PDB file of all heavy atoms in Angstrom:
ATOM      1  N   LEU A 134      99.986  86.509 109.688  1.00 97.00           N
ATOM      2  CA  LEU A 134     100.489  87.494 108.736  1.00 97.00           C
ATOM      3  C   LEU A 134      99.432  88.535 108.398  1.00 97.00           C
ATOM      4  O   LEU A 134      99.755  89.706 108.161  1.00 97.00           O
ATOM      5  CB  LEU A 134     100.968  86.785 107.465  1.00 97.00           C
ATOM      6  CG  LEU A 134     101.640  87.642 106.396  1.00 97.00           C
ATOM      7  CD1 LEU A 134     102.906  88.295 106.944  1.00 97.00           C
ATOM      8  CD2 LEU A 134     101.965  86.806 105.159  1.00 97.00           C
ATOM      9  N   SER A 135      98.166  88.133 108.411  1.00 96.00           N
ATOM     10  CA  SER A 135      97.096  89.069 108.067  1.00 96.00           C
ATOM     11  C   SER A 135      96.943  90.183 109.095  1.00 96.00           C
ATOM     12  O   SER A 135      96.320  91.212 108.802  1.00 96.00           O
ATOM     13  CB  SER A 135      95.774  88.309 107.921  1.00 96.00           C
ATOM     14  OG  SER A 135      95.399  87.710 109.147  1.00 96.00           O
ATOM     15  N   THR A 136      97.498  89.995 110.288  1.00 96.00           N
ATOM     16  CA  THR A 136      97.432  91.047 111.311  1.00 96.00           C
ATOM     17  C   THR A 136      98.525  92.093 111.115  1.00 96.00           C
ATOM     18  O   THR A 136      98.560  93.086 111.839  1.00 96.00           O
ATOM     19  CB  THR A 136      97.564  90.434 112.713  1.00 96.00           C
ATOM     20  OG1 THR A 136      98.863  89.834 112.857  1.00 96.00           O
ATOM     21  CG2 THR A 136      96.504  89.373 112.944  1.00 96.00           C
ATOM     22  N   LEU A 137      99.417  91.864 110.148  1.00 96.00           N
ATOM     23  CA  LEU A 137     100.540  92.774 109.915  1.00 96.00           C
ATOM     24  C   LEU A 137     100.351  93.621 108.661  1.00 96.00           C
ATOM     25  O   LEU A 137     101.312  94.196 108.156  1.00 96.00           O
ATOM     26  CB  LEU A 137     101.845  91.975 109.809  1.00 96.00           C
ATOM     27  CG  LEU A 137     102.178  91.055 110.990  1.00 96.00           C
ATOM     28  CD1 LEU A 137     103.451  90.266 110.708  1.00 96.00           C
ATOM     29  CD2 LEU A 137     102.312  91.858 112.285  1.00 96.00           C
ATOM     30  N   ASN A 138      99.119  93.676 108.139  1.00 97.00           N
ATOM     31  CA  ASN A 138      98.861  94.443 106.909  1.00 97.00           C
ATOM     32  C   ASN A 138      99.279  95.901 107.059  1.00 97.00           C
ATOM     33  O   ASN A 138      99.190  96.469 108.148  1.00 97.00           O
ATOM     34  CB  ASN A 138      97.364  94.371 106.565  1.00 97.00           C
ATOM     35  CG  ASN A 138      96.973  93.001 106.046  1.00 97.00           C
ATOM     36  OD1 ASN A 138      97.730  92.347 105.344  1.00 97.00           O
ATOM     37  ND2 ASN A 138      95.776  92.560 106.416  1.00 97.00           N
ATOM     38  N   PRO A 139      99.717  96.520 105.943  1.00 97.00           N
ATOM     39  CA  PRO A 139      99.964  95.920 104.627  1.00 97.00           C
ATOM     40  C   PRO A 139     101.296  95.181 104.593  1.00 97.00           C
ATOM     41  O   PRO A 139     102.235  95.539 105.304  1.00 97.00           O
ATOM     42  CB  PRO A 139      99.986  97.131 103.692  1.00 97.00           C
ATOM     43  CG  PRO A 139     100.466  98.253 104.566  1.00 97.00           C
ATOM     44  CD  PRO A 139      99.926  97.982 105.950  1.00 97.00           C
ATOM     45  N   VAL A 140     101.364  94.146 103.745  1.00 97.00           N
ATOM     46  CA  VAL A 140     102.547  93.282 103.659  1.00 97.00           C
ATOM     47  C   VAL A 140     103.323  93.629 102.392  1.00 97.00           C
ATOM     48  O   VAL A 140     102.753  93.647 101.291  1.00 97.00           O
ATOM     49  CB  VAL A 140     102.130  91.801 103.646  1.00 97.00           C
ATOM     50  CG1 VAL A 140     103.356  90.908 103.515  1.00 97.00           C
ATOM     51  CG2 VAL A 140     101.337  91.462 104.908  1.00 97.00           C
ATOM     52  N   ALA A 141     104.605  93.909 102.554  1.00 97.00           N
ATOM     53  CA  ALA A 141     105.445  94.261 101.404  1.00 97.00           C
ATOM     54  C   ALA A 141     105.712  93.033 100.545  1.00 97.00           C
ATOM     55  O   ALA A 141     105.868  91.917 101.054  1.00 97.00           O
ATOM     56  CB  ALA A 141     106.762  94.868 101.873  1.00 97.00           C
ATOM     57  N   THR A 142     105.766  93.241  99.241  1.00 98.00           N
ATOM     58  CA  THR A 142     106.017  92.157  98.300  1.00 98.00           C
ATOM     59  C   THR A 142     107.452  92.218  97.788  1.00 98.00           C
ATOM     60  O   THR A 142     108.234  93.090  98.162  1.00 98.00           O
ATOM     61  CB  THR A 142     105.048  92.248  97.112  1.00 98.00           C
ATOM     62  OG1 THR A 142     105.343  93.446  96.371  1.00 98.00           O
ATOM     63  CG2 THR A 142     103.608  92.288  97.585  1.00 98.00           C
ATOM     64  N   PHE A 143     107.768  91.290  96.903  1.00 97.00           N
ATOM     65  CA  PHE A 143     109.104  91.239  96.314  1.00 97.00           C
ATOM     66  C   PHE A 143     109.382  92.466  95.450  1.00 97.00           C
ATOM     67  O   PHE A 143     110.538  92.805  95.175  1.00 97.00           O
ATOM     68  CB  PHE A 143     109.242  89.968  95.461  1.00 97.00           C
ATOM     69  CG  PHE A 143     110.569  89.293  95.581  1.00 97.00           C
ATOM     70  CD1 PHE A 143     110.670  88.023  96.124  1.00 97.00           C
ATOM     71  CD2 PHE A 143     111.722  89.906  95.149  1.00 97.00           C
ATOM     72  CE1 PHE A 143     111.889  87.386  96.228  1.00 97.00           C
ATOM     73  CE2 PHE A 143     112.954  89.286  95.251  1.00 97.00           C
ATOM     74  CZ  PHE A 143     113.044  88.025  95.788  1.00 97.00           C
ATOM     75  N   ALA A 144     108.331  93.151  95.013  1.00 97.00           N
ATOM     76  CA  ALA A 144     108.514  94.320  94.151  1.00 97.00           C
ATOM     77  C   ALA A 144     109.006  95.540  94.911  1.00 97.00           C
ATOM     78  O   ALA A 144     109.432  96.522  94.303  1.00 97.00           O
ATOM     79  CB  ALA A 144     107.198  94.648  93.440  1.00 97.00           C
ATOM     80  N   GLY A 145     108.945  95.520  96.238  1.00 96.00           N
ATOM     81  CA  GLY A 145     109.417  96.652  97.031  1.00 96.00           C
ATOM     82  C   GLY A 145     108.410  97.060  98.080  1.00 96.00           C
ATOM     83  O   GLY A 145     107.245  96.625  98.059  1.00 96.00           O
ATOM     84  N   SER A 146     108.841  97.897  98.979  1.00 95.00           N
ATOM     85  CA  SER A 146     107.995  98.288 100.106  1.00 95.00           C
ATOM     86  C   SER A 146     106.775  99.088  99.680  1.00 95.00           C
ATOM     87  O   SER A 146     105.773  99.136 100.394  1.00 95.00           O
ATOM     88  CB  SER A 146     108.821  99.107 101.103  1.00 95.00           C
ATOM     89  OG  SER A 146     109.374 100.257 100.471  1.00 95.00           O
ATOM     90  N   GLN A 147     106.839  99.758  98.514  1.00 96.00           N
ATOM     91  CA  GLN A 147     105.682 100.530  98.066  1.00 96.00           C
ATOM     92  C   GLN A 147     104.628  99.646  97.404  1.00 96.00           C
ATOM     93  O   GLN A 147     103.491 100.067  97.201  1.00 96.00           O
ATOM     94  CB  GLN A 147     106.118 101.644  97.103  1.00 96.00           C
ATOM     95  CG  GLN A 147     106.589 101.182  95.738  1.00 96.00           C
ATOM     96  CD  GLN A 147     108.056 100.812  95.714  1.00 96.00           C
ATOM     97  OE1 GLN A 147     108.640 100.447  96.732  1.00 96.00           O
ATOM     98  NE2 GLN A 147     108.665 100.916  94.541  1.00 96.00           N
ATOM     99  N   TYR A 148     104.990  98.430  97.053  1.00 98.00           N
ATOM    100  CA  TYR A 148     104.060  97.479  96.442  1.00 98.00           C
ATOM    101  C   TYR A 148     103.576  96.525  97.539  1.00 98.00           C
ATOM    102  O   TYR A 148     104.247  95.540  97.853  1.00 98.00           O
ATOM    103  CB  TYR A 148     104.740  96.688  95.327  1.00 98.00           C
ATOM    104  CG  TYR A 148     105.026  97.486  94.076  1.00 98.00           C
ATOM    105  CD1 TYR A 148     106.183  98.254  93.960  1.00 98.00           C
ATOM    106  CD2 TYR A 148     104.144  97.463  92.996  1.00 98.00           C
ATOM    107  CE1 TYR A 148     106.453  98.978  92.809  1.00 98.00           C
ATOM    108  CE2 TYR A 148     104.403  98.175  91.836  1.00 98.00           C
ATOM    109  CZ  TYR A 148     105.563  98.933  91.756  1.00 98.00           C
ATOM    110  OH  TYR A 148     105.821  99.646  90.613  1.00 98.00           O
ATOM    111  N   THR A 149     102.446  96.822  98.126  1.00 98.00           N
ATOM    112  CA  THR A 149     101.975  96.056  99.271  1.00 98.00           C
ATOM    113  C   THR A 149     100.662  95.326  98.966  1.00 98.00           C
ATOM    114  O   THR A 149      99.938  95.673  98.031  1.00 98.00           O
ATOM    115  CB  THR A 149     101.767  96.957 100.496  1.00 98.00           C
ATOM    116  OG1 THR A 149     100.809  97.972 100.166  1.00 98.00           O
ATOM    117  CG2 THR A 149     103.083  97.600 100.919  1.00 98.00           C
ATOM    118  N   LEU A 150     100.392  94.326  99.798  1.00 98.00           N
ATOM    119  CA  LEU A 150      99.151  93.563  99.718  1.00 98.00           C
ATOM    120  C   LEU A 150      98.475  93.565 101.078  1.00 98.00           C
ATOM    121  O   LEU A 150      99.140  93.696 102.114  1.00 98.00           O
ATOM    122  CB  LEU A 150      99.441  92.116  99.306  1.00 98.00           C
ATOM    123  CG  LEU A 150     100.004  91.877  97.906  1.00 98.00           C
ATOM    124  CD1 LEU A 150     100.496  90.437  97.774  1.00 98.00           C
ATOM    125  CD2 LEU A 150      98.955  92.182  96.847  1.00 98.00           C
ATOM    126  N   ASN A 151      97.160  93.438 101.071  1.00 98.00           N
ATOM    127  CA  ASN A 151      96.401  93.260 102.298  1.00 98.00           C
ATOM    128  C   ASN A 151      95.819  91.851 102.307  1.00 98.00           C
ATOM    129  O   ASN A 151      95.102  91.461 101.379  1.00 98.00           O
ATOM    130  CB  ASN A 151      95.278  94.288 102.407  1.00 98.00           C
ATOM    131  CG  ASN A 151      95.813  95.664 102.750  1.00 98.00           C
ATOM    132  OD1 ASN A 151      96.345  95.895 103.830  1.00 98.00           O
ATOM    133  ND2 ASN A 151      95.686  96.596 101.809  1.00 98.00           N
ATOM    134  N   LEU A 152      96.139  91.105 103.338  1.00 97.00           N
ATOM    135  CA  LEU A 152      95.730  89.707 103.432  1.00 97.00           C
ATOM    136  C   LEU A 152      94.595  89.560 104.436  1.00 97.00           C
ATOM    137  O   LEU A 152      94.582  90.231 105.471  1.00 97.00           O
ATOM    138  CB  LEU A 152      96.916  88.832 103.852  1.00 97.00           C
ATOM    139  CG  LEU A 152      98.183  88.982 102.996  1.00 97.00           C
ATOM    140  CD1 LEU A 152      99.348  88.241 103.633  1.00 97.00           C
ATOM    141  CD2 LEU A 152      97.942  88.462 101.588  1.00 97.00           C
ATOM    142  N   THR A 153      93.652  88.687 104.122  1.00 97.00           N
ATOM    143  CA  THR A 153      92.584  88.359 105.064  1.00 97.00           C
ATOM    144  C   THR A 153      92.543  86.848 105.239  1.00 97.00           C
ATOM    145  O   THR A 153      92.764  86.094 104.288  1.00 97.00           O
ATOM    146  CB  THR A 153      91.219  88.859 104.578  1.00 97.00           C
ATOM    147  OG1 THR A 153      90.902  88.228 103.330  1.00 97.00           O
ATOM    148  CG2 THR A 153      91.223  90.362 104.404  1.00 97.00           C
TER     149      THR A 153
END
Side-chain angles (χ1 to χ4, degrees):
L134 185 61
S135 63
T136 64
L137 305 177
N138 287 324
V140 178
T142 66
F143 220 116
S146 58
Q147 70 274 25
Y148 288 85
T149 59
L150 294 168
N151 286 294
L152 307 171
T153 61

